[in-house]
Amino acid sequence: MTSPQQPQPQPAPGAQPMPPAVPAPAPSAGPMPPAVPAQPAPPQPAPVEDAGTMMLQAQPPAPAPPAPAKEAGTMMLQAQPPAGGHPEPTPLSAHGPGKEAGTMLLTAAAQPPAPPHPGPAPQHASVPQQQAPAPAPAPAANWQAATPGYVSPIPVRPTHLGHALAAEWTKIRSVRSTVWTLGVMTVLVLGIGVLVAVSVASMSTVGDTSPLFFGLFGMLLGVLCVLPLGVLVTSSEYGTGMIRTTLAACPNRGRVLTAKALVFFALTFVVTTVVTGLVALTDNAMISDISRVHVGAGEWLRSTVGIGLYVSFLGLLALAVGSLIRHSAGAITLMVGVVLLPFVLSMFMFADSLEGVRNFLMGYSIPNQLTVMYGNKFPFVDGGPSGWQPLWIVMGLAAVALGAAYATMRQRDV
């Protein structure tokens, strides 16, 4: 159904003619075919849009095609009247081939009147649109310069000796060797101390022997449990390769060795002092009635705290030897030899010419030094330390060995 078309307004006289239309290329690749100019037509009523059809009004003759429309993605065609007549408006289908979205927009631009051209209207070839050169890819920017530095949500605090102590305490309490060695030492010292006190209490008298002296026999075996633990504190990490992780977390090697020594010393001292204190109380309660020696504060301090310090520094000596040798079996064998070998060798020196060597080895052997710490001395030993001197001796040996271990740890690689 159509309605009468409305006349289009005519251009004012003297208006400048519009330039020829240059159609835009289609979105598909390749240049578009040349635009076909339409022929001028007399004024006709305005088209009525029906379903799927749009009526286009032709315009009066013009000397040149109108300026191209600049709608993106739309092809504009100008309808021009033929040179020799006024054709009727032709309906154009909106669903032609190759049209995007089923719609084709056709426009007719008003043209001013001009003298007729002799001959057919010139064909206006389409000018292909030049594509802008693609922008060169931007060089890859340095991510460190383009983005700010990474800020960890975990607070960063300067490390100190307390962190190393916490790490070593976690290690020593979480391995089974600590439980086994200290547990066996506690059972031996307490068990043998109580058994000796029960057997001695059945005697009529012990003479001038201190009641606290009988805790020595259990401690001689307890020392043999502390030495392996001191060796394993350092040598086990070298054997398993965990020392690399330890030094990666704490590159300060002196701090690592100090933390190991402090944690081991504190643990051994507490356990040994508690055990020797219990044995001393038991022996004194059961044997004091048959002994003529009155136990004073000095003897109590030396037989409990002094023994705990002596055994702990002896364990530090084993720890330093383990750090120097870096082999568990070799370091344990060496420490057992240090404890027992001088005393055993002295027992086989019967010649008179070796009496001085025999007295020296026996007097400064570990068993005799433990005896002195308990307030007595082997009756067949002539010479040797007395009082608190065994503690100063073992402290000096442990300090020298730890210094050598520290220097070696700084010089050698893991």
Side-chain angles (χ1 to χ4, degrees):
M1 180 177 179
T2 60
S3 62
Q5 298 181 355
Q6 300 295 332
Q8 281 285 40
Q10 297 296 328
Q16 196 165 1
M18 299 185 67
V22 180
S28 59
M32 292 187 60
V36 180
Q39 300 298 326
Q44 298 294 336
V48 177
E49 297 184 2
D50 199 2
T53 307
M54 181 174 66
M55 307 298 295
L56 182 65
Q57 176 185 3
Q59 301 296 331
K70 300 194 176 178
E71 294 287 332
T74 305
M75 182 172 64
M76 313 296 292
L77 298 180
Q78 177 187 6
Q80 295 183 358
H86 302 281
E88 296 295 329
T90 305
L92 298 178
S93 173
H95 301 282
K99 309 302 183 291
E100 292 186 5
T103 303
M104 176 179 182
L105 179 61
L106 303 177
T107 60
Q111 301 293 336
H117 293 277
Q123 300 282 342
H124 296 277
S126 62
V127 179
Q129 182 181 1
Q130 295 183 356
Q131 295 183 354
N142 188 0
W143 66 272
Q144 294 180 350
T147 59
Y150 173 73
V151 179
S152 174
I154 303 175
V156 179
R157 296 176 296 178
T159 58
H160 49 76
L161 182 60
H163 298 128
L165 290 174
E168 295 302 328
W169 169 245
T170 303
K171 293 178 190 176
I172 199 170
R173 69 181 175 86
S174 59
V175 295
R176 289 176 290 181
S177 60
T178 304
V179 178
W180 278 104
T181 53
L182 295 182
V184 171
M185 184 200 75
T186 302
V187 171
L188 289 176
V189 174
L190 280 175
I192 295 177
V194 172
L195 288 176
V196 170
V198 170
S199 61
V200 172
S202 61
M203 300 172 59
S204 59
T205 182
V206 292
D208 295 332
T209 304
S210 171
L212 305 181
F213 171 76
F214 297 98
L216 167 70
F217 301 100
M219 186 52 66
L220 285 175
L221 297 177
V223 168
L224 298 179
C225 298
V226 175
L227 297 180
L229 179 61
V231 169
L232 292 174
V233 167
T234 53
S235 63
S236 61
E237 291 197 37
Y238 284 101
T240 59
M242 283 300 296
I243 190 65
R244 297 183 179 89
T245 304
T246 301
L247 295 180
C250 181
N252 191 332
R253 301 192 176 192
R255 183 184 298 172
V256 170
L257 187 60
T258 302
K260 288 180 180 294
L262 290 177
V263 170
F264 170 76
F265 179 84
L267 179 62
T268 307
F269 173 73
V270 170
V271 174
T272 307
T273 304
V274 170
V275 173
T276 53
L278 293 176
V279 173
L281 290 174
T282 304
D283 290 348
N284 186 67
M286 299 180 67
I287 306 176
S288 61
D289 296 338
I290 59 175
S291 175
R292 295 192 298 265
V293 176
H294 175 71
V295 180
E299 287 78 7
W300 276 102
L301 185 63
R302 191 167 58 243
S303 299
T304 55
V305 177
I307 290 295
L309 290 173
Y310 185 89
V311 174
S312 300
F313 278 108
L314 196 61
L316 283 183
L317 178 62
L319 184 147
V321 172
S323 181
L324 287 169
I325 297 180
R326 302 186 178 186
H327 190 271
S328 299
I332 292 173
T333 303
L334 179 60
M335 287 307 302
V336 171
V338 168
V339 171
L340 299 179
L341 188 59
F343 186 80
V344 173
L345 287 177
S346 64
M347 296 178 63
F348 292 95
M349 296 180 179
F350 303 109
D352 295 337
S353 58
L354 299 176
E355 184 178 359
V357 177
R358 181 177 67 248
N359 289 333
F360 177 82
L361 292 177
M362 189 169 291
Y364 287 93
S365 63
I366 302 299
N368 186 64
Q369 292 186 28
L370 283 172
T371 306
V372 171
M373 292 297 295
Y374 275 104
N376 286 83
K377 184 185 292 188
F378 287 139
F380 48 86
V381 175
D382 186 11
S386 61
W388 290 87
Q389 290 181 359
L391 180 59
W392 314 139
I393 293 172
V394 74
M395 286 177 62
L397 291 175
V400 172
L402 284 173
Y406 174 73
T408 305
M409 197 173 184
R410 287 179 59 92
Q411 294 295 329
R412 292 192 302 187
D413 196 5
V414 294

